Short mmCIF file of all heavy atoms in Angstrom, two decimals:
data_model
loop_
_atom_site.label_atom_id
_atom_site.label_comp_id
_atom_site.label_asym_id
_atom_site.label_seq_id
_atom_site.Cartn_x
_atom_site.Cartn_y
_atom_site.Cartn_z
N SER L 469 21.14 18.40 25.39
CA SER L 469 21.51 19.46 26.27
C SER L 469 22.49 18.94 27.36
O SER L 469 22.75 17.73 27.43
CB SER L 469 20.32 20.03 26.93
OG SER L 469 19.93 19.09 28.00
N HIS L 470 23.08 19.82 28.02
CA HIS L 470 23.85 19.37 29.29
C HIS L 470 22.90 19.26 30.38
O HIS L 470 21.90 19.85 30.42
CB HIS L 470 24.92 20.61 29.52
CG HIS L 470 25.96 20.08 30.38
ND1 HIS L 470 27.15 19.48 30.00
CD2 HIS L 470 26.02 20.32 31.75
CE1 HIS L 470 27.82 19.21 30.99
NE2 HIS L 470 27.23 19.66 32.08
N PRO L 471 23.27 18.27 31.26
CA PRO L 471 22.33 18.06 32.41
C PRO L 471 22.07 19.39 33.02
O PRO L 471 22.91 20.11 33.25
CB PRO L 471 23.06 17.08 33.29
CG PRO L 471 23.90 16.44 32.38
CD PRO L 471 24.34 17.24 31.27
N ASP L 472 20.75 19.46 33.50
CA ASP L 472 20.21 20.51 34.14
C ASP L 472 19.98 21.96 33.41
O ASP L 472 19.46 22.84 33.91
CB ASP L 472 21.21 21.05 35.41
CG ASP L 472 20.98 20.25 36.58
OD1 ASP L 472 19.98 19.65 36.47
OD2 ASP L 472 21.69 20.16 37.57
N ALA L 473 20.06 21.84 32.08
CA ALA L 473 19.78 22.92 31.19
C ALA L 473 18.32 23.23 31.20
O ALA L 473 17.79 24.17 30.80
CB ALA L 473 20.43 22.90 29.96
N GLY L 474 17.57 22.12 31.33
CA GLY L 474 16.17 22.24 31.29
C GLY L 474 15.39 21.27 30.22
O GLY L 474 14.26 21.50 29.95
N LYS L 475 16.09 20.23 29.79
CA LYS L 475 15.48 19.50 28.82
C LYS L 475 14.22 18.74 29.32
O LYS L 475 13.24 18.77 28.51
CB LYS L 475 16.54 18.36 28.59
CG LYS L 475 16.12 17.31 27.41
CD LYS L 475 17.22 16.51 27.20
CE LYS L 475 17.51 15.39 28.15
NZ LYS L 475 16.74 14.28 27.99
N THR L 476 14.20 18.28 30.52
CA THR L 476 13.14 17.54 30.99
C THR L 476 11.86 18.62 31.06
O THR L 476 10.70 18.25 30.71
CB THR L 476 13.30 16.92 32.40
OG1 THR L 476 14.59 16.20 32.25
CG2 THR L 476 12.28 16.00 32.92
N THR L 477 12.14 19.73 31.63
CA THR L 477 11.19 20.74 31.83
C THR L 477 10.54 21.15 30.51
O THR L 477 9.38 21.25 30.39
CB THR L 477 11.84 21.93 32.63
OG1 THR L 477 12.43 21.56 33.71
CG2 THR L 477 10.63 22.96 32.92
N LEU L 478 11.39 21.29 29.56
CA LEU L 478 10.97 21.75 28.19
C LEU L 478 10.20 20.62 27.60
O LEU L 478 8.96 20.75 27.11
CB LEU L 478 12.09 22.13 27.21
CG LEU L 478 11.76 22.51 25.90
CD1 LEU L 478 11.03 23.96 25.92
CD2 LEU L 478 12.92 22.70 24.87
N THR L 479 10.52 19.38 27.67
CA THR L 479 9.77 18.24 27.26
C THR L 479 8.43 18.19 27.79
O THR L 479 7.51 18.09 27.08
CB THR L 479 10.64 16.87 27.60
OG1 THR L 479 12.03 16.95 27.08
CG2 THR L 479 9.84 15.63 27.02
N LYS L 496 9.05 13.87 34.91
CA LYS L 496 10.03 13.50 36.01
C LYS L 496 9.64 12.27 36.75
O LYS L 496 10.35 11.34 37.07
CB LYS L 496 10.02 14.69 37.06
CG LYS L 496 10.98 15.75 36.62
CD LYS L 496 11.86 16.18 37.79
CE LYS L 496 13.04 16.94 37.20
NZ LYS L 496 12.83 18.25 36.90
N ARG L 499 10.27 9.19 34.89
CA ARG L 499 11.65 8.96 35.01
C ARG L 499 11.98 8.03 36.41
O ARG L 499 12.84 7.17 36.30
CB ARG L 499 12.70 10.04 35.11
CG ARG L 499 12.76 10.87 33.78
CD ARG L 499 14.05 11.58 33.84
NE ARG L 499 14.04 12.60 32.77
CZ ARG L 499 14.10 12.37 31.56
NH1 ARG L 499 14.18 11.16 31.05
NH2 ARG L 499 14.11 13.48 30.57
N GLY L 540 19.13 11.69 30.66
CA GLY L 540 19.24 13.07 30.93
C GLY L 540 20.42 13.31 31.88
O GLY L 540 20.83 14.33 32.20
N HIS L 541 21.04 12.30 32.38
CA HIS L 541 22.05 12.46 33.49
C HIS L 541 23.45 12.47 32.87
O HIS L 541 23.55 12.08 31.73
CB HIS L 541 21.88 11.27 34.46
CG HIS L 541 22.73 11.44 35.67
ND1 HIS L 541 23.94 11.00 35.78
CD2 HIS L 541 22.41 12.04 36.83
CE1 HIS L 541 24.40 11.29 36.90
NE2 HIS L 541 23.45 11.87 37.65
N VAL L 561 18.97 22.53 23.90
CA VAL L 561 18.72 23.49 25.02
C VAL L 561 19.91 24.03 25.75
O VAL L 561 20.66 23.24 26.19
CB VAL L 561 17.67 22.71 26.06
CG1 VAL L 561 17.22 23.66 27.26
CG2 VAL L 561 16.50 22.09 25.35
N ASP L 563 21.29 26.58 28.89
CA ASP L 563 21.05 27.40 30.08
C ASP L 563 21.72 28.81 29.78
O ASP L 563 22.89 28.96 29.48
CB ASP L 563 21.81 26.68 31.18
CG ASP L 563 21.50 27.50 32.52
OD1 ASP L 563 21.38 28.72 32.46
OD2 ASP L 563 21.50 26.78 33.57
N PHE L 589 17.10 26.41 21.75
CA PHE L 589 16.23 27.13 22.74
C PHE L 589 17.06 27.52 24.00
O PHE L 589 17.64 26.70 24.69
CB PHE L 589 15.09 26.08 23.37
CG PHE L 589 14.05 26.77 24.12
CD1 PHE L 589 12.98 27.56 23.64
CD2 PHE L 589 14.22 26.65 25.50
CE1 PHE L 589 12.09 28.05 24.46
CE2 PHE L 589 13.26 27.41 26.37
CZ PHE L 589 12.14 28.03 25.80
N ASN L 591 17.32 28.74 27.54
CA ASN L 591 16.38 28.69 28.53
C ASN L 591 16.75 29.48 29.87
O ASN L 591 17.90 29.84 29.89
CB ASN L 591 16.39 27.18 28.93
CG ASN L 591 15.22 26.72 29.88
OD1 ASN L 591 14.07 27.40 29.84
ND2 ASN L 591 15.27 25.72 30.63
N LYS L 592 15.92 29.58 30.69
CA LYS L 592 16.11 30.08 32.01
C LYS L 592 16.33 31.66 31.93
O LYS L 592 17.13 32.25 32.68
CB LYS L 592 17.22 29.45 32.85
CG LYS L 592 17.07 28.04 32.91
CD LYS L 592 17.99 27.41 33.96
CE LYS L 592 17.78 25.94 34.09
NZ LYS L 592 18.78 25.27 35.06
N LEU L 593 15.62 32.28 31.13
CA LEU L 593 15.65 33.90 31.00
C LEU L 593 15.10 34.52 32.16
O LEU L 593 15.36 35.62 32.40
CB LEU L 593 14.93 34.30 29.68
CG LEU L 593 15.82 34.62 28.46
CD1 LEU L 593 16.82 35.76 28.81
CD2 LEU L 593 16.63 33.34 28.17
N ASP L 594 14.40 33.71 32.97
CA ASP L 594 13.79 34.32 34.27
C ASP L 594 14.84 34.52 35.17
O ASP L 594 14.63 35.05 36.39
CB ASP L 594 12.67 33.40 34.83
CG ASP L 594 13.20 32.01 35.06
OD1 ASP L 594 14.02 31.56 34.32
OD2 ASP L 594 12.74 31.49 36.16
N ARG L 595 16.13 33.88 34.92
CA ARG L 595 17.22 34.12 35.82
C ARG L 595 18.21 35.04 35.15
O ARG L 595 18.21 35.17 33.95
CB ARG L 595 17.87 32.82 36.09
CG ARG L 595 17.05 31.95 37.03
CD ARG L 595 17.92 31.04 37.72
NE ARG L 595 17.17 29.99 38.38
CZ ARG L 595 17.60 28.80 38.66
NH1 ARG L 595 18.71 28.37 38.00
NH2 ARG L 595 16.92 27.94 39.35
N GLY L 702 13.57 31.90 26.12
CA GLY L 702 12.41 31.68 26.90
C GLY L 702 12.70 31.06 28.26
O GLY L 702 13.90 30.97 28.80
N THR L 703 11.61 30.70 29.02
CA THR L 703 11.84 29.91 30.20
C THR L 703 10.86 28.80 30.21
O THR L 703 9.65 29.07 30.19
CB THR L 703 11.78 30.84 31.50
OG1 THR L 703 11.17 30.00 32.54
CG2 THR L 703 11.05 32.03 31.30
N ALA L 704 11.41 27.63 30.20
CA ALA L 704 10.60 26.42 30.20
C ALA L 704 9.91 26.24 31.50
O ALA L 704 8.64 25.91 31.47
CB ALA L 704 11.47 25.22 30.01
N LEU L 705 10.44 26.56 32.56
CA LEU L 705 9.82 26.42 33.93
C LEU L 705 8.56 27.27 33.82
O LEU L 705 7.51 26.85 34.41
CB LEU L 705 10.70 26.84 35.03
CG LEU L 705 10.31 26.55 36.40
CD1 LEU L 705 10.26 25.02 36.73
CD2 LEU L 705 11.26 27.00 37.40
N ALA L 706 8.69 28.59 33.48
CA ALA L 706 7.52 29.51 33.46
C ALA L 706 6.54 29.26 32.22
O ALA L 706 5.56 29.99 32.04
CB ALA L 706 7.92 30.84 33.60
N ASP L 707 6.96 28.37 31.49
CA ASP L 707 6.27 28.08 30.14
C ASP L 707 6.12 29.38 29.27
O ASP L 707 5.05 29.76 28.75
CB ASP L 707 4.83 27.45 30.42
CG ASP L 707 4.30 26.86 29.26
OD1 ASP L 707 4.88 26.75 28.22
OD2 ASP L 707 3.01 26.40 29.36
P1 LIG P 517 17.53 18.40 32.43
O1 LIG P 517 16.44 17.55 32.08
O2 LIG P 517 18.15 19.24 31.23
O3 LIG P 517 18.74 17.83 33.38
O4 LIG P 517 16.99 19.60 33.37
P2 LIG P 517 15.56 19.81 34.13
O5 LIG P 517 14.50 20.05 33.21
O6 LIG P 517 15.49 18.74 35.05
O7 LIG P 517 15.90 21.13 34.90
C1 LIG P 517 17.03 21.26 35.85
C2 LIG P 517 16.61 22.34 36.86
O8 LIG P 517 16.37 23.57 36.20
C3 LIG P 517 15.32 22.05 37.62
O9 LIG P 517 15.34 22.49 38.93
C4 LIG P 517 14.24 22.83 36.85
O10 LIG P 517 13.19 23.15 37.61
C5 LIG P 517 15.13 24.04 36.52
N1 LIG P 517 14.72 24.76 35.30
C6 LIG P 517 14.30 24.29 34.09
N2 LIG P 517 13.89 25.27 33.32
C7 LIG P 517 14.00 26.42 34.06
C8 LIG P 517 13.71 27.75 33.81
O11 LIG P 517 13.30 28.21 32.69
N3 LIG P 517 13.99 28.80 34.73
C9 LIG P 517 14.40 28.28 36.06
N4 LIG P 517 14.61 29.19 36.86
N5 LIG P 517 14.65 27.06 36.30
C10 LIG P 517 14.48 26.04 35.28
P3 LIG P 517 15.73 21.58 40.13
O12 LIG P 517 15.61 22.38 41.37
O13 LIG P 517 16.93 20.84 39.99
O14 LIG P 517 14.60 20.61 40.12
P4 LIG P 517 13.08 20.60 40.49
O15 LIG P 517 13.22 20.54 42.00
O16 LIG P 517 12.64 21.94 40.11
O17 LIG P 517 12.29 19.51 39.84
#
Side-chain angles (χ1 to χ4, degrees):
S469 74
H470 193 82
D472 276 350
K475 184 172 73 81
T476 312
T477 313
L478 181 67
T479 305
K496 275 229 161 85
R499 288 204 197 289
H541 192 268
V561 182
D563 184 328
F589 186 84
N591 191 29
K592 305 198 185 180
L593 262 292
D594 58 321
R595 288 203 187 149
T703 143
L705 191 65
D707 197 3

